[in-house]
Amino acid sequence: MSFDAVIDVKDVTKSFGGLTAVNKCSLRVERGSITGLIGPNGAGKSTLFNMVAGNIVPDSGSIYFDGEDVTGVPPYKLFARGLLRTFQIAHEFSHMTALENLMVVPGDQPGERLANIWFRPDFVRKAEHHVRQKALDVIDFLKLGHVKNELAGNLSGGQKKLLELGRTMMVDAKVVLLDEVAAGVNRTLLQDLAANIERMNEELGYTFFVIEHDMDLIGRLCDPVIVMAQGEVIAQGPMEEIRANPEIIEAYFGSPVEAA
Ligand SMILES: Nc1ncnc2c1ncn2[C@@H]1O[C@H](COP(=O)(O)OP(=O)(O)OP(=O)(O)O)[C@@H](O)[C@H]1O
Ligand SMILES: [Mg+2]
């Protein structure tokens, strides 16, 4: 079979007290795809993401990344292996410039290893130069050159989102999880964000797994789209099929309204 699953979720369940947030869920994300995950509030989407990213350990079931069982593997280890999720720029980083925010992403930076500092200073200098160059490349790629020396805290909401996306480019990410990254971003910057996700996918080979409530954005970016409701996967396919399926619209919107 030609399908190459970079993420393979098998029969995963997670309950909080008496509430089953994710119920025997199975789904796969194909390498090189931009896969969407939609569903009503409380469907279990973020809980599923948290399990894939290692933030929550499932009660049962398994999660495979790149063919290996990573169930229960902590986030920092998954991060090192190229499975990333975006995070809001933390408060303490808002006093650093956009460029510096990229340069501090924990990557494979030899400068942080003490032995290298003592024994191989020249190597460290070169590595720092490399990190700076990479950060400048990312800034260029995202067309943030005009704000690269601006404090991150002064960036607009949308520019911050672009910077968050940029942080994933500082390590050699294979898969990036985006949980409502477009929320609160204006239309123009939303188009920039979408265009950058597409470029990272097409030009750099990133796989994206995207939770969004904005159906236009999902329709533009994602194929396939996976639909969750009440902790279960209820459908999967191209957005046109999802939009055309009255049962899904009913489950998603709670009433048969027009798809956005
Ligand atoms: N840490 C937690 N403790 C208790 N209940 C939780 C916890 N996290 C999530 N839940 C519950 O699990 C269910 C699924 O939540 P989840 O955040 O995964 O939904 P979601 O699909 O991401 O929704 P939304 O679209 O609103 O973000 C909800 O009923 C939620 O209240
Ligand atoms: Mg959520």
Side-chain angles (χ1 to χ4, degrees), residues 30-60:
E30 187 175 3
R31 192 184 308 277
S33 70
I34 305 180
T35 299
L37 183 60
I38 65 173
N41 294 120
K45 306 179 296 294
S46 295
T47 304
L48 186 102
F49 258 40
N50 284 329
M51 290 192 282
V52 171
N55 300 98
I56 293 180
V57 180
D59 299 335
S60 60

PDB file of all heavy atoms in Angstrom, residues 30-60:
ATOM      1  N   GLU A  30      -0.999  10.962   6.879  1.00  0.00           N
ATOM      2  CA  GLU A  30      -0.064  10.542   5.847  1.00  0.00           C
ATOM      3  C   GLU A  30       1.108  11.511   5.746  1.00  0.00           C
ATOM      4  O   GLU A  30       0.931  12.730   5.813  1.00  0.00           O
ATOM      5  CB  GLU A  30      -0.782  10.476   4.492  1.00  0.00           C
ATOM      6  CG  GLU A  30       0.088   9.895   3.417  1.00  0.00           C
ATOM      7  CD  GLU A  30      -0.667   9.713   2.096  1.00  0.00           C
ATOM      8  OE1 GLU A  30      -1.847  10.099   2.023  1.00  0.00           O
ATOM      9  OE2 GLU A  30      -0.060   9.199   1.158  1.00  0.00           O
ATOM     10  N   ARG A  31       2.300  10.955   5.577  1.00  0.00           N
ATOM     11  CA  ARG A  31       3.494  11.770   5.425  1.00  0.00           C
ATOM     12  C   ARG A  31       3.332  12.720   4.239  1.00  0.00           C
ATOM     13  O   ARG A  31       2.909  12.311   3.161  1.00  0.00           O
ATOM     14  CB  ARG A  31       4.701  10.862   5.193  1.00  0.00           C
ATOM     15  CG  ARG A  31       6.050  11.557   5.291  1.00  0.00           C
ATOM     16  CD  ARG A  31       7.176  10.589   4.950  1.00  0.00           C
ATOM     17  NE  ARG A  31       7.090   9.357   5.725  1.00  0.00           N
ATOM     18  CZ  ARG A  31       7.565   9.214   6.963  1.00  0.00           C
ATOM     19  NH1 ARG A  31       8.156  10.218   7.555  1.00  0.00           N
ATOM     20  NH2 ARG A  31       7.448   8.063   7.587  1.00  0.00           N
ATOM     21  N   GLY A  32       3.636  13.987   4.478  1.00  0.00           N
ATOM     22  CA  GLY A  32       3.562  14.969   3.400  1.00  0.00           C
ATOM     23  C   GLY A  32       2.190  15.598   3.225  1.00  0.00           C
ATOM     24  O   GLY A  32       2.020  16.473   2.381  1.00  0.00           O
ATOM     25  N   SER A  33       1.234  15.174   4.045  1.00  0.00           N
ATOM     26  CA  SER A  33      -0.124  15.728   3.910  1.00  0.00           C
ATOM     27  C   SER A  33      -0.313  16.947   4.806  1.00  0.00           C
ATOM     28  O   SER A  33       0.497  17.202   5.698  1.00  0.00           O
ATOM     29  CB  SER A  33      -1.178  14.676   4.287  1.00  0.00           C
ATOM     30  OG  SER A  33      -1.146  14.435   5.693  1.00  0.00           O
ATOM     31  N   ILE A  34      -1.369  17.695   4.527  1.00  0.00           N
ATOM     32  CA  ILE A  34      -1.888  18.651   5.514  1.00  0.00           C
ATOM     33  C   ILE A  34      -3.251  18.092   5.885  1.00  0.00           C
ATOM     34  O   ILE A  34      -4.210  18.187   5.125  1.00  0.00           O
ATOM     35  CB  ILE A  34      -2.029  20.078   4.933  1.00  0.00           C
ATOM     36  CG1 ILE A  34      -0.703  20.564   4.334  1.00  0.00           C
ATOM     37  CG2 ILE A  34      -2.513  21.042   6.035  1.00  0.00           C
ATOM     38  CD1 ILE A  34      -0.772  21.975   3.737  1.00  0.00           C
ATOM     39  N   THR A  35      -3.300  17.421   7.022  1.00  0.00           N
ATOM     40  CA  THR A  35      -4.517  16.728   7.448  1.00  0.00           C
ATOM     41  C   THR A  35      -5.269  17.618   8.442  1.00  0.00           C
ATOM     42  O   THR A  35      -4.671  18.152   9.368  1.00  0.00           O
ATOM     43  CB  THR A  35      -4.148  15.378   8.097  1.00  0.00           C
ATOM     44  OG1 THR A  35      -3.482  14.570   7.119  1.00  0.00           O
ATOM     45  CG2 THR A  35      -5.379  14.649   8.619  1.00  0.00           C
ATOM     46  N   GLY A  36      -6.561  17.762   8.228  1.00  0.00           N
ATOM     47  CA  GLY A  36      -7.388  18.587   9.099  1.00  0.00           C
ATOM     48  C   GLY A  36      -8.093  17.746  10.146  1.00  0.00           C
ATOM     49  O   GLY A  36      -8.368  16.564   9.929  1.00  0.00           O
ATOM     50  N   LEU A  37      -8.370  18.355  11.296  1.00  0.00           N
ATOM     51  CA  LEU A  37      -9.164  17.697  12.333  1.00  0.00           C
ATOM     52  C   LEU A  37     -10.224  18.690  12.787  1.00  0.00           C
ATOM     53  O   LEU A  37      -9.897  19.755  13.311  1.00  0.00           O
ATOM     54  CB  LEU A  37      -8.266  17.278  13.508  1.00  0.00           C
ATOM     55  CG  LEU A  37      -8.935  16.502  14.651  1.00  0.00           C
ATOM     56  CD1 LEU A  37      -9.553  15.194  14.161  1.00  0.00           C
ATOM     57  CD2 LEU A  37      -7.926  16.203  15.763  1.00  0.00           C
ATOM     58  N   ILE A  38     -11.482  18.358  12.514  1.00  0.00           N
ATOM     59  CA  ILE A  38     -12.572  19.265  12.873  1.00  0.00           C
ATOM     60  C   ILE A  38     -13.583  18.535  13.760  1.00  0.00           C
ATOM     61  O   ILE A  38     -13.559  17.311  13.870  1.00  0.00           O
ATOM     62  CB  ILE A  38     -13.285  19.853  11.625  1.00  0.00           C
ATOM     63  CG1 ILE A  38     -13.994  18.760  10.816  1.00  0.00           C
ATOM     64  CG2 ILE A  38     -12.289  20.594  10.734  1.00  0.00           C
ATOM     65  CD1 ILE A  38     -14.860  19.305   9.670  1.00  0.00           C
ATOM     66  N   GLY A  39     -14.472  19.313  14.327  1.00  0.00           N
ATOM     67  CA  GLY A  39     -15.510  18.740  15.178  1.00  0.00           C
ATOM     68  C   GLY A  39     -15.987  19.793  16.153  1.00  0.00           C
ATOM     69  O   GLY A  39     -15.285  20.778  16.395  1.00  0.00           O
ATOM     70  N   PRO A  40     -17.159  19.573  16.727  1.00  0.00           N
ATOM     71  CA  PRO A  40     -17.722  20.576  17.637  1.00  0.00           C
ATOM     72  C   PRO A  40     -16.871  20.771  18.889  1.00  0.00           C
ATOM     73  O   PRO A  40     -16.006  19.945  19.189  1.00  0.00           O
ATOM     74  CB  PRO A  40     -19.099  20.005  18.004  1.00  0.00           C
ATOM     75  CG  PRO A  40     -19.093  18.588  17.572  1.00  0.00           C
ATOM     76  CD  PRO A  40     -18.037  18.419  16.538  1.00  0.00           C
ATOM     77  N   ASN A  41     -17.124  21.822  19.628  1.00  0.00           N
ATOM     78  CA  ASN A  41     -16.443  22.074  20.903  1.00  0.00           C
ATOM     79  C   ASN A  41     -16.611  20.858  21.791  1.00  0.00           C
ATOM     80  O   ASN A  41     -17.697  20.292  21.878  1.00  0.00           O
ATOM     81  CB  ASN A  41     -17.025  23.305  21.611  1.00  0.00           C
ATOM     82  CG  ASN A  41     -16.771  24.592  20.845  1.00  0.00           C
ATOM     83  OD1 ASN A  41     -17.711  25.278  20.460  1.00  0.00           O
ATOM     84  ND2 ASN A  41     -15.531  24.895  20.608  1.00  0.00           N
ATOM     85  N   GLY A  42     -15.519  20.443  22.423  1.00  0.00           N
ATOM     86  CA  GLY A  42     -15.585  19.315  23.337  1.00  0.00           C
ATOM     87  C   GLY A  42     -15.538  17.958  22.670  1.00  0.00           C
ATOM     88  O   GLY A  42     -15.695  16.930  23.329  1.00  0.00           O
ATOM     89  N   ALA A  43     -15.285  17.925  21.358  1.00  0.00           N
ATOM     90  CA  ALA A  43     -15.268  16.651  20.624  1.00  0.00           C
ATOM     91  C   ALA A  43     -14.091  15.766  21.012  1.00  0.00           C
ATOM     92  O   ALA A  43     -14.104  14.562  20.762  1.00  0.00           O
ATOM     93  CB  ALA A  43     -15.242  16.912  19.116  1.00  0.00           C
ATOM     94  N   GLY A  44     -13.041  16.380  21.585  1.00  0.00           N
ATOM     95  CA  GLY A  44     -11.866  15.594  21.969  1.00  0.00           C
ATOM     96  C   GLY A  44     -10.643  15.853  21.100  1.00  0.00           C
ATOM     97  O   GLY A  44      -9.628  15.163  21.217  1.00  0.00           O
ATOM     98  N   LYS A  45     -10.730  16.870  20.251  1.00  0.00           N
ATOM     99  CA  LYS A  45      -9.640  17.155  19.303  1.00  0.00           C
ATOM    100  C   LYS A  45      -8.335  17.514  20.019  1.00  0.00           C
ATOM    101  O   LYS A  45      -7.283  16.937  19.732  1.00  0.00           O
ATOM    102  CB  LYS A  45     -10.043  18.313  18.360  1.00  0.00           C
ATOM    103  CG  LYS A  45     -11.359  18.088  17.636  1.00  0.00           C
ATOM    104  CD  LYS A  45     -11.713  19.256  16.738  1.00  0.00           C
ATOM    105  CE  LYS A  45     -11.959  20.579  17.452  1.00  0.00           C
ATOM    106  NZ  LYS A  45     -13.151  20.588  18.333  1.00  0.00           N
ATOM    107  N   SER A  46      -8.411  18.468  20.938  1.00  0.00           N
ATOM    108  CA  SER A  46      -7.187  18.891  21.636  1.00  0.00           C
ATOM    109  C   SER A  46      -6.636  17.772  22.506  1.00  0.00           C
ATOM    110  O   SER A  46      -5.420  17.596  22.616  1.00  0.00           O
ATOM    111  CB  SER A  46      -7.450  20.135  22.483  1.00  0.00           C
ATOM    112  OG  SER A  46      -7.780  21.234  21.666  1.00  0.00           O
ATOM    113  N   THR A  47      -7.516  17.001  23.107  1.00  0.00           N
ATOM    114  CA  THR A  47      -7.071  15.868  23.928  1.00  0.00           C
ATOM    115  C   THR A  47      -6.308  14.873  23.051  1.00  0.00           C
ATOM    116  O   THR A  47      -5.252  14.371  23.437  1.00  0.00           O
ATOM    117  CB  THR A  47      -8.272  15.189  24.611  1.00  0.00           C
ATOM    118  OG1 THR A  47      -8.979  16.182  25.363  1.00  0.00           O
ATOM    119  CG2 THR A  47      -7.839  14.065  25.530  1.00  0.00           C
ATOM    120  N   LEU A  48      -6.830  14.634  21.858  1.00  0.00           N
ATOM    121  CA  LEU A  48      -6.139  13.731  20.935  1.00  0.00           C
ATOM    122  C   LEU A  48      -4.759  14.288  20.568  1.00  0.00           C
ATOM    123  O   LEU A  48      -3.757  13.570  20.596  1.00  0.00           O
ATOM    124  CB  LEU A  48      -6.986  13.525  19.668  1.00  0.00           C
ATOM    125  CG  LEU A  48      -6.350  12.467  18.778  1.00  0.00           C
ATOM    126  CD1 LEU A  48      -7.058  11.147  18.920  1.00  0.00           C
ATOM    127  CD2 LEU A  48      -6.289  12.902  17.348  1.00  0.00           C
ATOM    128  N   PHE A  49      -4.710  15.587  20.266  1.00  0.00           N
ATOM    129  CA  PHE A  49      -3.426  16.245  19.958  1.00  0.00           C
ATOM    130  C   PHE A  49      -2.448  16.107  21.117  1.00  0.00           C
ATOM    131  O   PHE A  49      -1.279  15.823  20.932  1.00  0.00           O
ATOM    132  CB  PHE A  49      -3.656  17.740  19.687  1.00  0.00           C
ATOM    133  CG  PHE A  49      -3.646  18.112  18.228  1.00  0.00           C
ATOM    134  CD1 PHE A  49      -4.245  17.308  17.281  1.00  0.00           C
ATOM    135  CD2 PHE A  49      -3.036  19.286  17.804  1.00  0.00           C
ATOM    136  CE1 PHE A  49      -4.248  17.660  15.940  1.00  0.00           C
ATOM    137  CE2 PHE A  49      -3.028  19.643  16.464  1.00  0.00           C
ATOM    138  CZ  PHE A  49      -3.636  18.831  15.533  1.00  0.00           C
ATOM    139  N   ASN A  50      -2.962  16.356  22.320  1.00  0.00           N
ATOM    140  CA  ASN A  50      -2.104  16.286  23.499  1.00  0.00           C
ATOM    141  C   ASN A  50      -1.522  14.897  23.680  1.00  0.00           C
ATOM    142  O   ASN A  50      -0.396  14.748  24.157  1.00  0.00           O
ATOM    143  CB  ASN A  50      -2.879  16.697  24.752  1.00  0.00           C
ATOM    144  CG  ASN A  50      -3.078  18.203  24.821  1.00  0.00           C
ATOM    145  OD1 ASN A  50      -2.244  18.963  24.338  1.00  0.00           O
ATOM    146  ND2 ASN A  50      -4.191  18.630  25.398  1.00  0.00           N
ATOM    147  N   MET A  51      -2.268  13.888  23.297  1.00  0.00           N
ATOM    148  CA  MET A  51      -1.743  12.527  23.397  1.00  0.00           C
ATOM    149  C   MET A  51      -0.691  12.282  22.323  1.00  0.00           C
ATOM    150  O   MET A  51       0.347  11.683  22.590  1.00  0.00           O
ATOM    151  CB  MET A  51      -2.883  11.508  23.314  1.00  0.00           C
ATOM    152  CG  MET A  51      -3.753  11.545  24.574  1.00  0.00           C
ATOM    153  SD  MET A  51      -4.893  10.170  24.695  1.00  0.00           S
ATOM    154  CE  MET A  51      -6.172  10.664  23.558  1.00  0.00           C
ATOM    155  N   VAL A  52      -0.948  12.776  21.107  1.00  0.00           N
ATOM    156  CA  VAL A  52       0.027  12.593  20.024  1.00  0.00           C
ATOM    157  C   VAL A  52       1.333  13.315  20.354  1.00  0.00           C
ATOM    158  O   VAL A  52       2.425  12.798  20.129  1.00  0.00           O
ATOM    159  CB  VAL A  52      -0.546  13.084  18.672  1.00  0.00           C
ATOM    160  CG1 VAL A  52       0.524  13.094  17.592  1.00  0.00           C
ATOM    161  CG2 VAL A  52      -1.727  12.206  18.238  1.00  0.00           C
ATOM    162  N   ALA A  53       1.213  14.518  20.943  1.00  0.00           N
ATOM    163  CA  ALA A  53       2.409  15.317  21.249  1.00  0.00           C
ATOM    164  C   ALA A  53       3.087  14.878  22.549  1.00  0.00           C
ATOM    165  O   ALA A  53       4.131  15.407  22.904  1.00  0.00           O
ATOM    166  CB  ALA A  53       2.041  16.800  21.332  1.00  0.00           C
ATOM    167  N   GLY A  54       2.489  13.929  23.255  1.00  0.00           N
ATOM    168  CA  GLY A  54       3.108  13.405  24.468  1.00  0.00           C
ATOM    169  C   GLY A  54       2.751  14.160  25.738  1.00  0.00           C
ATOM    170  O   GLY A  54       3.286  13.853  26.800  1.00  0.00           O
ATOM    171  N   ASN A  55       1.854  15.134  25.649  1.00  0.00           N
ATOM    172  CA  ASN A  55       1.484  15.908  26.839  1.00  0.00           C
ATOM    173  C   ASN A  55       0.530  15.154  27.749  1.00  0.00           C
ATOM    174  O   ASN A  55       0.453  15.426  28.949  1.00  0.00           O
ATOM    175  CB  ASN A  55       0.849  17.250  26.451  1.00  0.00           C
ATOM    176  CG  ASN A  55       1.786  18.115  25.636  1.00  0.00           C
ATOM    177  OD1 ASN A  55       1.695  18.137  24.413  1.00  0.00           O
ATOM    178  ND2 ASN A  55       2.703  18.788  26.295  1.00  0.00           N
ATOM    179  N   ILE A  56      -0.235  14.231  27.159  1.00  0.00           N
ATOM    180  CA  ILE A  56      -1.164  13.411  27.942  1.00  0.00           C
ATOM    181  C   ILE A  56      -0.922  11.950  27.549  1.00  0.00           C
ATOM    182  O   ILE A  56      -0.776  11.643  26.365  1.00  0.00           O
ATOM    183  CB  ILE A  56      -2.643  13.780  27.631  1.00  0.00           C
ATOM    184  CG1 ILE A  56      -2.986  15.192  28.119  1.00  0.00           C
ATOM    185  CG2 ILE A  56      -3.594  12.769  28.249  1.00  0.00           C
ATOM    186  CD1 ILE A  56      -4.433  15.596  27.832  1.00  0.00           C
ATOM    187  N   VAL A  57      -0.855  11.077  28.550  1.00  0.00           N
ATOM    188  CA  VAL A  57      -0.681   9.652  28.263  1.00  0.00           C
ATOM    189  C   VAL A  57      -2.055   9.000  28.144  1.00  0.00           C
ATOM    190  O   VAL A  57      -2.904   9.181  29.018  1.00  0.00           O
ATOM    191  CB  VAL A  57       0.143   8.969  29.380  1.00  0.00           C
ATOM    192  CG1 VAL A  57       0.323   7.483  29.092  1.00  0.00           C
ATOM    193  CG2 VAL A  57       1.500   9.652  29.532  1.00  0.00           C
ATOM    194  N   PRO A  58      -2.305   8.272  27.058  1.00  0.00           N
ATOM    195  CA  PRO A  58      -3.627   7.636  26.908  1.00  0.00           C
ATOM    196  C   PRO A  58      -3.874   6.564  27.975  1.00  0.00           C
ATOM    197  O   PRO A  58      -2.926   5.977  28.486  1.00  0.00           O
ATOM    198  CB  PRO A  58      -3.569   6.994  25.508  1.00  0.00           C
ATOM    199  CG  PRO A  58      -2.205   7.175  24.982  1.00  0.00           C
ATOM    200  CD  PRO A  58      -1.415   8.035  25.923  1.00  0.00           C
ATOM    201  N   ASP A  59      -5.154   6.340  28.294  1.00  0.00           N
ATOM    202  CA  ASP A  59      -5.512   5.251  29.213  1.00  0.00           C
ATOM    203  C   ASP A  59      -5.267   3.905  28.539  1.00  0.00           C
ATOM    204  O   ASP A  59      -4.874   2.941  29.178  1.00  0.00           O
ATOM    205  CB  ASP A  59      -6.998   5.336  29.592  1.00  0.00           C
ATOM    206  CG  ASP A  59      -7.326   6.630  30.306  1.00  0.00           C
ATOM    207  OD1 ASP A  59      -6.415   7.214  30.917  1.00  0.00           O
ATOM    208  OD2 ASP A  59      -8.494   7.072  30.232  1.00  0.00           O
ATOM    209  N   SER A  60      -5.561   3.860  27.238  1.00  0.00           N
ATOM    210  CA  SER A  60      -5.314   2.626  26.481  1.00  0.00           C
ATOM    211  C   SER A  60      -5.129   2.984  25.015  1.00  0.00           C
ATOM    212  O   SER A  60      -5.421   4.103  24.603  1.00  0.00           O
ATOM    213  CB  SER A  60      -6.477   1.652  26.653  1.00  0.00           C
ATOM    214  OG  SER A  60      -7.671   2.250  26.188  1.00  0.00           O
TER     215      SER A  60
END
